[in-house]
Amino acid sequence: MTAIVDKTQCIGCGECVSNCPLDAIALKDDQEGKAFVDPDTCGECGECINACPLEAISL
């Protein structure tokens, strides 16, 4: 299972992007500047969950 971003909580701060060791997360313009996790790249390590200040990411 891949990381899931709650778009109602994500503010697009980028903490998850900079902390993802696999570069599986990007801030997408077509997602209103919010985080998007590539399910094919996500390794389910949880680093993004730990980095998110708003707890907007879960597995």
Side-chain angles (χ1 to χ4, degrees):
M1 180 166 263
T2 187
I4 300 168
V5 178
D6 181 341
K7 303 288 187 220
T8 63
Q9 290 184 308
C10 177
I11 59 170
C13 70
E15 288 297 316
C16 57
V17 176
S18 61
N19 282 282
C20 179
L22 299 175
D23 295 324
I25 307 174
L27 300 181
K28 296 278 195 169
D29 290 335
D30 63 346
Q31 300 280 327
E32 300 176 3
K34 298 185 179 191
F36 171 79
V37 179
D38 179 352
D40 295 327
T41 308
C42 178
E44 304 171 13
C45 67
E47 289 298 318
C48 57
I49 295 170
N50 296 330
C52 182
L54 297 175
E55 299 178 357
I57 306 175
S58 61
L59 284 178

